[in-house]
Amino acid sequence: MIDSIRKLRTIEDRTSRIKLISSIDDSLALDSLSQQALRAEWGKLDSAQRDQFLHLIRALLEKLAYPRASEFFADLDVQYGHEHQQGARRIVPTRVKRADGGAVSITYVLKRTRRQWQVVDINLDGQSLAQSVTGQIQAVLRQGSYQSLIAQMKARLR
């Protein structure tokens, strides 16, 4: 996944870029993350609404997160630690070093789905991405409605 994210900076061909982004998306358990982030709201959604939410999450990742991650990982040395099992999950500790000597710890949490191992969470120096996303989405839902969340997501894509 990291190698694919790094390549995004250099791939300009539309078809190759779409394939690369699709492979990154497939590495992430976006269904699981979406269900966790929406909590009880997920159960109230019909299949079309769930698909719409997943489409918006993917689009936001492609527009906002992937380009930033591509820049972040561009010139870093990524060192993978030894994977270990934690219940049904696999934990992959990673250390990312900058040329100036600074380092960041990233822990990938993976879970086996029907198709493959997928990332269900990324902890950056102890901060959970899944918890952060859940917190942001729940804050919007508390202040408004599911429709207001969707409107905000669409607005960020413009």
Side-chain angles (χ1 to χ4, degrees):
M1 181 176 75
I2 291 174
D3 288 340
S4 295
I5 287 172
R6 281 179 163 169
K7 287 178 189 174
L8 277 177
R9 292 183 39 208
T10 60
I11 302 294
E12 292 184 24
D13 173 64
R14 183 165 162 58
T15 303
S16 298
R17 195 167 176 77
I18 289 169
K19 279 185 180 179
L20 196 56
I21 288 171
S22 179
S23 77
I24 297 167
D25 286 347
D26 287 346
S27 299
L28 300 170
L30 295 176
D31 293 356
S32 171
L33 176 64
S34 297
Q35 189 171 357
Q36 175 185 333
L38 287 172
R39 294 186 181 153
E41 194 67 35
W42 181 261
K44 299 174 188 175
L45 302 179
D46 64 29
S47 153
Q49 290 170 313
R50 289 177 181 180
D51 287 346
Q52 177 192 35
F53 186 81
L54 285 166
H55 170 76
L56 289 170
I57 287 286
R58 282 187 184 93
L60 286 167
L61 287 170
E62 292 167 18
K63 181 178 180 179
L64 303 173
Y66 295 166
R68 289 181 189 151
S70 182
E71 290 299 320
F72 175 78
F73 285 112
D75 298 316
L76 298 178
D77 176 32
V78 180
Q79 299 172 347
Y80 298 97
H82 294 287
E83 170 189 311
H84 62 277
Q85 187 170 342
Q86 189 177 68
R89 297 177 176 206
R90 297 284 191 270
I91 309 300
V92 182
T94 308
R95 192 130 177 99
V96 180
K97 292 184 176 182
R98 294 189 309 252
D100 66 7
V104 175
S105 295
I106 302 174
T107 302
Y108 294 92
V109 181
L110 295 95
K111 187 173 182 182
R112 180 91 177 150
T113 62
R114 291 181 297 273
R115 302 181 318 236
Q116 65 189 35
W117 286 96
Q118 290 184 308
V119 176
V120 294
D121 199 5
I122 300 170
N123 290 288
L124 181 62
D125 277 339
Q127 298 296 311
S128 165
L129 176 64
Q131 287 177 357
S132 175
V133 169
T134 298
Q136 291 172 39
I137 287 174
Q138 287 300 308
V140 172
L141 290 173
R142 278 191 300 278
Q143 293 175 353
S145 65
Y146 177 74
Q147 285 69 32
S148 66
L149 171 65
I150 295 300
Q152 286 183 33
M153 292 171 77
K154 287 179 177 179
R156 291 199 70 191
L157 288 170
R158 286 188 207 118

